[in-house]
C-alpha cells in the first residue's frame, strides 16, 4: 500500500501546484482604462510592463534585453530617449545599471497598436488550423504569429488582412 500512496500523494500535490499556477483571474486591461499619468515605474515593477511604459513614453514600441544583455527599447521618435531613460531609471538603479546604457531602435508601431492588433488577431489566427500562438513581440516591434510546421503562413496572413491589420505589422512563422 505504501508504494501506491507515495505516487498518489505526488500526483495530488502536482495537480494542486499546477492548478494554483494556472489560476490567474486577472482580466486584461485596455489602455483606455489606465490612469493618464501613473508616475514613474516603481523599482520593483518590471520594465516589461509595456502599458506602463506606453503611458509614460509616447511612441514606445517595446523593451527587452538583447542577446548581449543590452537594454533595448523601440521608440517611434529617438528624441524620446530621455523620457524613456527617466521612466526606466528606477528599474536600472535596483539592478546597479545606468539608464544611459539604453539602446534605442526605430519603432514602426507603438505598443498600444501592437496590443490592440494582437487582441484582434488572436481570435482569427487561432481559429486557423495550425496556428499555435499570437504575441505582441517587444523584440521585433511586430505581432508575431506562430504556426505548426506545414501550415500555410499565407492562410493565416489572409485571415489577419481581413481585419485591416497592416501586413507589415505581422510576422507569421513556423514554430
Amino acid at each position: 500500500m505504501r508504494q501506491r500512496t507515495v505516487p498518489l500523494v505526488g500526483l495530488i500535490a502536482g495537480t494542486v501546484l499546477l492548478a494554483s499556477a494556472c489560476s490567474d483571474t486577472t482580466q486584461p486591461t485596455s489602455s483606455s482604462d489606465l490612469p493618464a499619468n501613473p508616475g514613474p515605474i516603481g523599482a520593483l515593477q518590471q520594465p516589461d510592463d509595456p502599458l506602463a511604459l506606453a503611458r509614460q513614453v509616447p511612441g514606445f514600441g517595446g523593451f527587452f534585453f538583447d542577446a548581449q544583455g543590452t537594454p533595448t527599447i523601440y521608440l517611434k521618435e529617438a528624441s524620446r530617449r530621455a523620457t524613456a531613460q527617466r521612466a526606466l531609471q528606477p528599474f536600472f538603479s535596483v539592478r546597479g545599471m545606468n539608464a544611459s546604457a539604453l539602446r534605442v531602435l526605430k519603432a514602426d508601431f507603438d505598443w498600444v497598436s501592437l496590443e490592440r492588433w494582437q487582441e484582434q488577431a488572436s481570435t482569427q489566427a487561432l481559429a486557423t488550423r495550425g496556428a499555435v500562438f499570437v504575441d505582441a513581440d517587444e523584440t521585433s516591434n511586430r505581432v508575431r504569429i506562430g504556426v505548426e510546421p506545414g501550415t500555410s503562413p499565407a492562410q493565416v496572413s489572409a485571415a489577419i488582412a481581413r481585419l485591416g491589420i497592416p501586413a507589415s505589422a505581422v510576422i507569421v512563422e513556423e514554430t
Side-chain angles (χ1 to χ4, degrees):
M1 183 67 169
R2 175 137 174 95
Q3 289 179 332
R4 288 186 179 176
T5 303
V6 173
L8 182 60
V9 170
L11 178 63
I12 291 171
T15 303
V16 169
L17 181 61
L18 181 60
S20 66
C22 295
S23 64
D24 180 9
T25 59
T26 59
Q27 296 297 313
T29 305
S30 79
S31 57
S32 63
D33 296 336
L34 303 171
N37 184 8
I41 293 176
L44 297 179
Q45 184 177 358
Q46 294 296 317
D48 60 358
D49 177 355
L51 291 177
L53 281 171
R55 287 189 302 259
Q56 295 177 49
V57 183
F60 165 75
F63 174 82
F64 63 100
F65 287 89
D66 71 11
Q68 291 73 38
T70 304
T72 305
I73 192 167
Y74 276 103
L75 297 173
K76 289 194 76 155
E77 297 174 30
S79 64
R80 301 287 185 177
R81 178 190 183 98
T83 304
Q85 285 177 290
R86 279 192 301 277
L88 289 166
Q89 185 58 49
F91 171 80
F92 287 131
S93 292
V94 166
R95 286 154 184 80
M97 299 173 70
N98 190 328
S100 65
L102 187 64
R103 183 175 73 149
V104 176
L105 299 176
K106 172 73 172 116
D108 294 321
F109 308 102
D110 65 58
W111 191 258
V112 173
S113 296
L114 290 172
E115 289 248 329
R116 183 179 68 247
W117 293 331
Q118 173 195 356
E119 186 176 324
Q120 291 172 338
S122 290
T123 303
Q124 283 289 339
L126 295 176
T128 305
R129 187 170 186 224
V132 293
F133 73 83
V134 178
D135 179 44
D137 183 11
E138 62 276 354
T139 66
S140 66
N141 189 238
R142 299 288 187 272
V143 174
R144 185 174 302 275
I145 301 173
V147 296
E148 294 175 337
T151 300
S152 168
Q155 187 178 13
V156 174
S157 295
I160 299 309
R162 287 190 293 272
L163 297 171
I165 298 170
S168 62
V170 180
I171 298 169
V172 180
E173 65 184 4
E174 279 191 1
T175 187

